[in-house]
Amino acid sequence: MRYVVIMAGGSGTRLWPLSRQGRPKQLLELFEGKSLLRLAFERLEGLVDVDRILVCTGRAYADDVRAQLPELPPGNLLGEPEGRDSLGAVAWSSAALQERDPDAVVAMVTADQVITPAEDFRASLRIAFDAAEQVSNSLVTLGVVPTSPHTGYGYLHRAEEVLPGVFRVSEFKEKPSADVARGYVDSGEYWWNAGMFVWRAATLLAQLDRLRPEYAATVREIARHPERLDGLFPTLERISVDYAVMEPASTGDTGAVVLTVPLTVAWSDVGGYLSYAELLPSDDRGNTRSGNTVSLDSSACIVLNMIGPDHVVATLGLEGMLVVATKQATLVARLDDAERVKQLVAKVSEECGVELA
Amino acid sequence: MRYVVIMAGGSGTRLWPLSRQGRPKQLLELFEGKSLLRLAFERLEGLVDVDRILVCTGRAYADDVRAQLPELPPGNLLGEPEGRDSLGAVAWSSAALQERDPDAVVAMVTADQVITPAEDFRASLRIAFDAAEQVSNSLVTLGVVPTSPHTGYGYLHRAEEVLPGVFRVSEFKEKPSADVARGYVDSGEYWWNAGMFVWRAATLLAQLDRLRPEYAATVREIARHPERLDGLFPTLERISVDYAVMEPASTGDTGAVVLTVPLTVAWSDVGGYLSYAELLPSDDRGNTRSGNTVSLDSSACIVLNMIGPDHVVATLGLEGMLVVATKQATLVARLDDAERVKQLVAKVSEECGVELA
């Protein structure tokens, strides 16, 4: 049977103060009251039944996840006691599903992007499911056909086509320099590593048995004895699935084959305010505004009032500015400085304490 | 006996969102938790006993005034049912004091300035009290020796010295153009009209009997029958004491003499954010900051967080910006646009309703 695991564990400071310690990006209701998690969930409609969708998240976010996904069966929420990078999420959830269904084929999808159109996304996932089922010992990754030489993503080098629309991956590349990225894009042979995977649960665990046997034993033990989760999960190494499994497997030396299916969609990781603003409508002076705001002689600004209708954010004579107001914090920055919000958050944490950062 | 009436009735939008409909400038705790009203009250220490200080304010502000001036005897708060410009305040309070003490000599002082040093202010008031007592039928006004050709103030033209440090006023001038103001200041003969007065209550009322007999009768009736306040006060004409009394009296045609005493003090009317910021300490990059704020690479900004310690206002890469956060509103403007806040408030009122403006 086919399953989908939505990985919703990450955090980040680039959208501070919208995102915070206890409120990561994918849980924020950024799009007409819907969060990225909710959008990721709705994107799966018609692909698998809702009782075969799981969400793997930090336990601290479990209540928020349940509130945003009331349709999700209670047993389908996997709450990590603490984060263990992507391998923790994919290995534990694969082991849990194999325990439930020895023939489980699992798609691991991320929750922190806006992806449109959803039909094209589901079509790629169906091709990836087919490939994972038809090609033994295969690990299938989704590759986004790049639209720019982005230096913030990892790339994968596609080789020969092994099935219609399915290619072998010969190599993974870490985040490249601008020059190298330019070359990748021009060659047409490199795709962004989407961080989404499809495999038989058994195949992933067999690879893990070979590459990190102790890790594999631990996640199997957790899957069989859920009461041991709190004691065992924190003992897992913090490591990414790319580094631990996909990269070694792509050499062909582990008995597996790494495949990729192209994802030709509009893709935004909402990695900062500029990319968020691109997804929202703007007014006739190029301002992107959300919530109760009043603007006089302001242009090319992003103004977000998340405090609510009893508060107004009013701007006068601004150009190219970012203003974000939440209950805990107000951020005012030049938009071309928005990449440095992380530094500012560090200063807030230092001067005001972590509860405001 | 000598009395002081603090006039604390005004409102204004230039300090929005600090000042608002229900919270005028003089009640805001702008200076280390003290309001301009509180500073005005403390400025009188040693001049008259506290039971001879009265406050005339809008009735809507009465609770705030009592909270800020717990020493004030309950009977010394005059709450206007609605504002009737400065004549309403000075005429009613003069009549009320004459009813209490037929020989009352009253100083009418304003509550919306920062004035230092307080000793010099009290010294000028003592000279003005002496003049009002010694010169029959005199109306004494305080004149601020100008430090700049300000076009936002009225000016008075001083004539001959009639007592040491006391001059006759020959003419009042409305707010002048920049050129005219320059000439005034250069001549040394024009002083800012401080809007503060000292007179025998009987003298003011006698002038009013002559200039506006119906008005005089009404305030006397209110003073004798306080239960008629709500019915009568709103019938009073809206007019300033300068226009109704001081200007006509300065011609010498009404049987009174208008005198002035110089006030050589540092004087700020906190009329906007720039003048407010001048009164606060600034950091090593020229930022004036108040409340819980964090600043990264920002300079020459005014950043005021009035929401409280559970909120932080964080700025990144700003120069010459104004950021003010209150519970109801966040204002972000270029400082050199700060004079246009009034326009912005009108837009807020229109788009969001008067409760946020």
Side-chain angles (χ1 to χ4, degrees):
Chain A
M1 295 282 267
R2 293 178 176 184
Y3 299 83
V4 179
V5 175
I6 301 175
M7 299 179 286
S11 65
T13 54
R14 282 191 295 167
L15 283 180
W16 183 89
L18 298 185
S19 59
R20 299 174 63 237
Q21 278 314 84
R23 191 87 181 159
K25 182 179 74 175
Q26 63 271 22
L27 295 179
L28 302 174
E29 290 165 357
L30 296 175
F31 301 96
E32 295 173 8
K34 291 185 181 183
S35 67
L36 288 168
L37 173 65
R38 180 76 211 175
L39 294 179
F41 181 79
E42 294 182 356
R43 203 148 57 217
L44 302 173
E45 197 178 338
L47 186 71
V48 298
D49 287 346
V50 98
D51 60 352
R52 278 183 282 123
I53 296 175
L54 284 76
V55 175
C56 186
T57 188
R59 186 182 290 162
Y61 313 138
D63 288 344
D64 280 338
V65 170
R66 274 188 209 100
Q68 293 186 3
L69 307 179
E71 306 95 326
L72 191 75
N76 285 15
L77 181 61
L78 302 177
E80 300 175 334
E82 35 185 278
R84 276 297 173 270
D85 211 327
S86 58
L87 186 61
V90 306
W92 176 30
S93 53
S94 295
L97 279 172
Q98 210 206 6
E99 195 63 28
R100 192 187 290 196
D101 173 0
D103 294 323
V105 186
V106 196
M108 315 288 322
V109 302
T110 52
D112 45 6
Q113 293 93 14
V114 172
I115 297 172
T116 51
E119 308 88 78
D120 294 0
F121 175 72
R122 289 190 293 264
S124 291
L125 271 183
R126 283 196 188 94
I127 295 170
F129 269 121
D130 289 345
E133 287 163 355
Q134 288 167 33
V135 180
S136 350
N137 299 319
S138 63
L139 302 169
V140 187
T141 179
L142 297 187
V144 180
V145 180
T147 51
S148 70
H150 205 294
T151 57
Y153 297 141
Y155 285 70
L156 47 85
H157 191 183
R158 67 182 177 87
E160 73 281 4
E161 192 169 20
V162 296
L163 287 171
V166 182
F167 299 78
R168 192 173 63 79
V169 173
S170 61
E171 209 179 358
F172 284 83
K173 294 287 190 182
E174 301 283 322
K175 295 174 185 177
S177 66
D179 278 358
V180 172
R182 178 84 270 162
Y184 287 173
V185 173
D186 289 346
S187 76
E189 294 179 6
Y190 289 82
W191 295 344
W192 291 336
N193 180 3
M196 301 204 200
F197 312 97
V198 185
W199 50 53
R200 288 182 184 278
T203 302
L204 187 271
L205 291 165
Q207 285 293 304
L208 212 52
D209 281 333
R210 182 171 183 143
L211 290 161
R212 277 187 154 68
E214 204 181 325
Y215 199 112
T218 304
V219 294
R220 287 188 205 271
E221 180 68 11
I222 294 170
R224 270 173 216 139
H225 303 286
E227 72 280 4
R228 299 200 59 194
L229 175 66
D230 285 10
L232 290 176
F233 200 85
T235 68
L236 294 173
E237 186 184 357
R238 277 182 204 270
I239 190 168
S240 76
V241 62
D242 294 281
Y243 189 76
V245 179
M246 301 307 286
E247 292 182 22
S250 68
T251 61
D253 296 342
T254 66
V257 56
V258 177
L259 304 177
T260 184
V261 172
L263 197 53
T264 46
V265 292
W267 163 280
S268 167
D269 67 352
V270 199
Y273 283 105
L274 287 170
S275 63
Y276 178 38
E278 280 169 10
L279 299 167
L280 297 177
S282 58
D283 69 18
D284 57 0
R285 297 196 56 171
N287 299 297
T288 300
R289 300 195 277 147
S290 175
N292 197 15
T293 66
V294 172
S295 168
L296 182 61
D297 292 345
S298 297
S299 55
C301 291
I302 301 177
V303 183
L304 310 176
N305 174 9
M306 312 308 248
I307 293 180
D310 295 338
H311 187 94
V312 61
V313 177
T315 60
L316 170 59
L318 304 191
E319 191 169 342
M321 300 281 302
L322 169 66
V323 182
V324 186
T326 71
K327 201 163 165 292
Q328 288 82 14
T330 303
L331 165 66
V332 184
R334 286 193 311 143
L335 262 175
D336 52 17
D337 254 347
E339 293 298 310
R340 293 168 64 213
V341 166
K342 196 171 175 168
Q343 266 176 269
L344 184 67
V345 179
K347 206 167 179 211
V348 169
S349 181
E350 190 187 313
E351 295 182 12
C352 306
V354 72
E355 60 280 2
L356 289 180
Chain B
M1 295 280 268
R2 293 179 175 183
Y3 298 83
V4 179
V5 175
I6 302 175
M7 298 178 287
S11 65
T13 54
R14 283 191 294 168
L15 283 178
W16 184 87
L18 298 184
S19 59
R20 300 173 63 236
Q21 274 320 76
R23 192 90 180 153
K25 182 178 76 175
Q26 64 270 23
L27 294 178
L28 302 173
E29 290 166 355
L30 296 175
F31 300 96
E32 296 173 6
K34 291 184 181 181
S35 67
L36 289 167
L37 173 66
R38 179 76 210 172
L39 295 179
F41 180 80
E42 293 183 356
R43 205 147 56 217
L44 302 173
E45 199 178 336
L47 186 70
V48 298
D49 287 348
V50 98
D51 59 354
R52 279 184 281 122
I53 296 175
L54 282 76
V55 175
C56 185
T57 188
R59 188 184 290 161
Y61 315 140
D63 288 345
D64 280 340
V65 170
R66 276 189 208 99
Q68 292 186 3
L69 306 180
E71 306 94 326
L72 191 75
N76 286 13
L77 182 60
L78 301 178
E80 300 175 333
E82 34 186 277
R84 277 296 174 268
D85 210 330
S86 57
L87 186 62
V90 306
W92 176 30
S93 53
S94 294
L97 279 171
Q98 211 208 2
E99 195 61 29
R100 192 187 290 196
D101 173 359
D103 294 324
V105 186
V106 196
M108 315 288 321
V109 303
T110 52
D112 44 7
Q113 293 92 15
V114 172
I115 297 171
T116 51
E119 307 90 76
D120 293 1
F121 174 73
R122 288 189 294 264
S124 291
L125 271 183
R126 280 194 190 96
I127 295 168
F129 269 121
D130 289 344
E133 287 161 355
Q134 289 168 32
V135 180
S136 346
N137 299 319
S138 63
L139 302 168
V140 187
T141 178
L142 297 187
V144 180
V145 181
T147 51
S148 70
H150 205 293
T151 57
Y153 297 140
Y155 285 69
L156 47 86
H157 191 183
R158 67 182 176 86
E160 74 280 5
E161 192 167 21
V162 294
L163 288 171
V166 182
F167 299 78
R168 191 173 64 80
V169 174
S170 60
E171 207 179 358
F172 284 83
K173 295 287 190 182
E174 301 283 320
K175 296 173 185 177
S177 67
D179 278 357
V180 172
R182 176 86 271 161
Y184 286 173
V185 173
D186 289 347
S187 75
E189 294 179 4
Y190 289 82
W191 295 344
W192 292 334
N193 180 3
M196 300 203 200
F197 312 96
V198 184
W199 49 53
R200 288 184 184 276
T203 302
L204 186 272
L205 290 165
Q207 286 294 303
L208 213 51
D209 281 334
R210 181 171 185 139
L211 292 162
R212 277 187 155 65
E214 204 181 326
Y215 200 112
T218 305
V219 295
R220 286 188 208 270
E221 179 68 12
I222 294 171
R224 271 174 215 140
H225 302 286
E227 71 280 7
R228 300 200 59 192
L229 175 66
D230 285 11
L232 291 176
F233 200 85
T235 69
L236 294 173
E237 186 184 357
R238 278 181 203 269
I239 190 168
S240 75
V241 62
D242 294 282
Y243 189 74
V245 179
M246 301 307 287
E247 294 183 20
S250 68
T251 61
D253 296 340
T254 66
V257 57
V258 178
L259 305 176
T260 183
V261 171
L263 197 52
T264 47
V265 293
W267 163 280
S268 168
D269 68 351
V270 199
Y273 283 107
L274 288 169
S275 64
Y276 177 39
E278 279 168 11
L279 298 167
L280 298 176
S282 59
D283 69 17
D284 56 0
R285 297 195 57 172
N287 299 297
T288 299
R289 299 196 278 146
S290 175
N292 198 15
T293 66
V294 172
S295 167
L296 182 61
D297 292 345
S298 297
S299 55
C301 291
I302 300 177
V303 183
L304 309 176
N305 174 9
M306 312 307 249
I307 294 181
D310 295 337
H311 188 93
V312 61
V313 176
T315 60
L316 170 60
L318 304 191
E319 193 169 342
M321 299 282 300
L322 169 66
V323 182
V324 186
T326 70
K327 201 162 164 296
Q328 289 82 13
T330 303
L331 165 66
V332 184
R334 287 191 314 142
L335 262 176
D336 50 19
D337 256 345
E339 295 298 311
R340 293 169 64 212
V341 165
K342 195 170 175 169
Q343 267 178 268
L344 184 67
V345 178
K347 204 169 182 211
V348 168
S349 182
E350 188 189 312
E351 296 182 13
C352 306
V354 71
E355 61 280 2
L356 290 179

